[in-house]
Amino acid sequence: MSVAGGQASRGEGVTRARIVEVALELLDSDGTAGLTMRALAAKLGVAPTAIYWHVGDKAALLEAVVDHITADVGDVQPSGRDAPERIRSTARSLRHNLLERPYLVAVVHEQGRTAEIFRPARVVLTREFSGCGLGDRDAALAGEAVLHHVIGSVLIEQQVARAPAQRVPAEPAVDAAELFELTLDALVRGLSRD
Amino acid sequence: MSVAGGQASRGEGVTRARIVEVALELLDSDGTAGLTMRALAAKLGVAPTAIYWHVGDKAALLEAVVDHITADVGDVQPSGRDAPERIRSTARSLRHNLLERPYLVAVVHEQGRTAEIFRPARVVLTREFSGCGLGDRDAALAGEAVLHHVIGSVLIEQQVARAPAQRVPAEPAVDAAELFELTLDALVRGLSRD
DNA sequence: ACCTGAACACCGTTCAAGT
DNA sequence: ACCTGAACACCGTTCAAGT
């Protein structure tokens, strides 16, 4: 919108950083299916092939996009005075970060980089479980379990949201947030007493 | 392969049932990306457009495929003498059913029909938690929590498997089955004591 | 009733060619 | 160094036309 109120923001140095930025805008507005090389090029005011020069093919594009986001998501500050509460708060803010970016989970998942992106959170969780008196290996397993709970919850919640037209009235419909808390609590209690 | 050793099995009544059957073969051999209207038609020995006459567009095709599978997956027989063990065995066989069909979770997930397909299992789990002394609502929540654990685990496990070339050596790599059992146990213990 | 062929509007990607 | 245009091999889908 830097030029003539149109979709295209023309020339003026189409850098790699700018491409990634516009790709994120496209993901935000049109979702995962809306991010095509052609649509991206159009929004940049450039021929589709120009993107190939700057970032490479679509796999490389998605890689760059995921790289760009990784920092924001990994950034979790645990709060609370005892370990269980710090674990729960970490899980909550992680969930929050993920739900804030509906496309993130899908893209990262498709890219097969889920494990990698949660490394900082994994370290935090493992440390807290160690503080509960678990051995190194048990603490690592417990941390992974909580992480999986977060990721699984978000994957399922977003999938339910995306359902085009739920064919079945879908039961009394359990509240996602409530279920998340309940499971988280049961999990932390069950894992720390070991 | 009913004719001339080729890919195409020609004519002889291309029925709706046959189309779904071949679609499943295609999913098994080539995965989700391999199931295209054109590839399916080729394997049936027919023009792509013929499929539209029998089952409609691709969304309808996927719907038919999911319908066809639903029964097999929902079919879980809980075993064990106490409720916690029956819950765990249900979760295990569900996980087993899902891992057996790598494409299933992805397709069902894309279709937004995860909740629907697990209805029978949900009923079983809720009943068992009721047997543990939980009230109706708590039992339903607990059942859903276990279900989510199963689905989330499989989603993550398959995603890890699909990773094209893990960019990071990926930690000591926790064993998926072990993590599944550990979490399941902690979850059931945490949920039934409530 | 059942199927084909041609056509349309999309994809991602390569590569020679321009400046 | 940076970008375009034309081209290729794919998609899903529609629709008139054939038998």
Side-chain angles (χ1 to χ4, degrees):
Chain A
M1 52 165 78
S2 58
V3 181
Q7 273 273 72
S9 55
R10 183 147 281 293
E12 292 299 337
V14 179
T15 85
R16 182 186 158 95
R18 173 116 186 82
I19 291 176
V20 171
E21 182 191 343
V22 174
L24 283 167
E25 287 174 23
L26 217 43
L27 280 173
D28 258 320
S29 57
D30 298 7
T32 249
L35 179 54
T36 72
M37 300 301 263
R38 291 174 133 102
L40 181 55
K43 204 166 177 185
L44 284 160
V46 97
T49 48
I51 296 169
Y52 287 79
W53 195 91
H54 287 284
V55 301
D57 63 11
K58 191 166 187 184
L61 206 217
L62 290 175
E63 217 172 299
V65 167
V66 172
D67 284 342
H68 190 264
I69 297 168
T70 306
D72 299 4
V73 174
D75 178 38
V76 283
Q77 54 270 39
S79 67
R81 44 178 56 97
D82 57 350
E85 179 50 28
R86 280 193 294 274
I87 291 168
R88 285 193 296 266
S89 81
T90 300
R92 277 185 213 112
S93 65
L94 214 48
R95 173 170 183 264
H96 184 255
N97 287 353
L98 292 181
L99 290 178
E100 236 179 3
R101 305 167 180 78
Y103 55 84
L104 209 201
V105 169
V107 173
V108 171
H109 193 254
E110 267 166 46
Q111 286 285 101
R113 291 178 62 185
T114 314
E116 173 190 347
I117 214 172
F118 294 115
R119 191 188 289 225
R122 182 180 290 107
V123 172
V124 168
L125 289 169
T126 302
R127 194 196 316 126
E128 292 297 342
F129 272 113
S130 292
C132 287
L134 295 195
D136 280 3
R137 183 175 154 74
D138 287 345
L141 279 167
E144 196 70 22
V146 170
L147 216 48
H148 277 217
H149 169 49
V150 174
I151 300 169
S153 301
V154 173
L155 278 172
I156 294 170
E157 187 169 347
Q158 288 185 347
Q159 179 255 315
V160 169
R162 176 159 34 102
Q166 210 72 7
R167 295 152 42 99
V168 194
E171 334 291 295
V174 167
D175 178 58
E178 183 186 5
L179 183 62
F180 176 81
E181 278 298 328
L182 176 88
T183 307
L184 179 59
D185 191 56
L187 205 50
V188 172
R189 284 197 334 245
L191 288 168
S192 47
R193 166 174 62 103
D194 219 25
Chain B
M1 52 162 82
S2 57
V3 181
Q7 273 273 74
S9 54
R10 182 147 284 290
E12 293 300 337
V14 179
T15 84
R16 181 187 159 93
R18 175 114 187 84
I19 291 176
V20 170
E21 184 191 341
V22 174
L24 282 166
E25 287 175 24
L26 217 43
L27 280 172
D28 258 320
S29 59
D30 298 6
T32 248
L35 177 55
T36 71
M37 301 301 263
R38 290 174 134 101
L40 181 54
K43 204 167 179 186
L44 284 159
V46 95
T49 49
I51 296 169
Y52 287 80
W53 195 91
H54 285 285
V55 301
D57 63 10
K58 191 165 187 184
L61 207 218
L62 291 175
E63 218 172 299
V65 167
V66 172
D67 284 341
H68 189 264
I69 297 169
T70 306
D72 300 4
V73 174
D75 180 39
V76 285
Q77 55 270 36
S79 67
R81 43 179 56 99
D82 57 351
E85 179 50 28
R86 281 195 294 276
I87 290 168
R88 283 192 296 266
S89 82
T90 301
R92 277 186 213 111
S93 64
L94 215 50
R95 173 172 183 263
H96 184 254
N97 287 352
L98 293 180
L99 289 177
E100 236 180 2
R101 304 167 180 78
Y103 54 84
L104 211 202
V105 169
V107 173
V108 171
H109 194 253
E110 266 167 47
Q111 286 286 100
R113 291 178 61 186
T114 315
E116 174 190 347
I117 215 172
F118 293 115
R119 191 189 291 225
R122 184 180 289 107
V123 171
V124 168
L125 290 170
T126 302
R127 195 197 315 126
E128 293 296 344
F129 272 113
S130 292
C132 287
L134 295 195
D136 280 4
R137 183 175 155 70
D138 287 346
L141 280 167
E144 196 70 21
V146 170
L147 214 49
H148 277 217
H149 169 50
V150 174
I151 300 170
S153 302
V154 174
L155 278 171
I156 295 169
E157 187 169 348
Q158 289 185 349
Q159 179 255 315
V160 168
R162 177 159 33 104
Q166 210 71 9
R167 295 153 40 100
V168 194
E171 333 292 295
V174 166
D175 177 57
E178 184 186 5
L179 183 62
F180 176 81
E181 279 297 328
L182 177 87
T183 307
L184 179 58
D185 192 55
L187 206 49
V188 173
R189 284 196 336 243
L191 287 169
S192 48
R193 165 175 64 100
D194 218 25

